[in-house]
Amino acid sequence: MRSMRYAAAALAVLVSAPAAAQTLPDARQVLDRYVEAVGGRAAVERPQSRHAVYELEVGGMTMKMEIRAARPNRTVVTMSTPIGDMVSG
């Protein structure tokens, strides 16, 4: 019983104590650490294209969306719906 009171008191102190002020790193430092963690700038720049496929259900209709993107700025989006296909890019 005594240990329960100590645990409750410790919890009360932790909850009521204000959080110590922390200084967060700026965004550039966070991004630099991320780039370093994934293998450096060369590793980040290596992918030349992306391909993603999504399936969406909207208003009882199921649609398939396919996105193809390539460097430097080429993108094609294809949406297949029960009433036809739409292509943009």
Side-chain angles (χ1 to χ4, degrees):
M1 198 66 179
R2 181 179 242 179
S3 63
M4 291 283 286
R5 279 187 278 161
Y6 287 125
L11 181 62
V13 168
L14 289 174
V15 170
S16 65
Q22 294 181 356
T23 57
L24 298 174
D26 67 347
R28 174 55 49 198
Q29 290 175 323
V30 173
L31 292 174
D32 289 343
R33 285 179 46 199
Y34 169 77
V35 168
E36 182 182 320
V38 297
R41 185 179 176 116
V44 172
E45 293 176 346
R46 191 173 304 128
Q48 297 296 310
S49 63
R50 292 186 182 162
H51 178 224
V53 178
Y54 301 95
E55 193 166 293
L56 310 164
E57 188 168 328
V58 178
M61 242 187 342
T62 301
M63 299 183 288
K64 181 178 173 185
M65 182 167 66
E66 188 171 354
I67 302 171
R68 293 181 183 271
R71 287 185 183 217
N73 59 355
R74 291 178 273 173
T75 304
V76 174
V77 179
T78 305
M79 288 192 68
S80 301
T81 68
I83 58 174
D85 294 344
M86 294 177 277
V87 180
S88 173

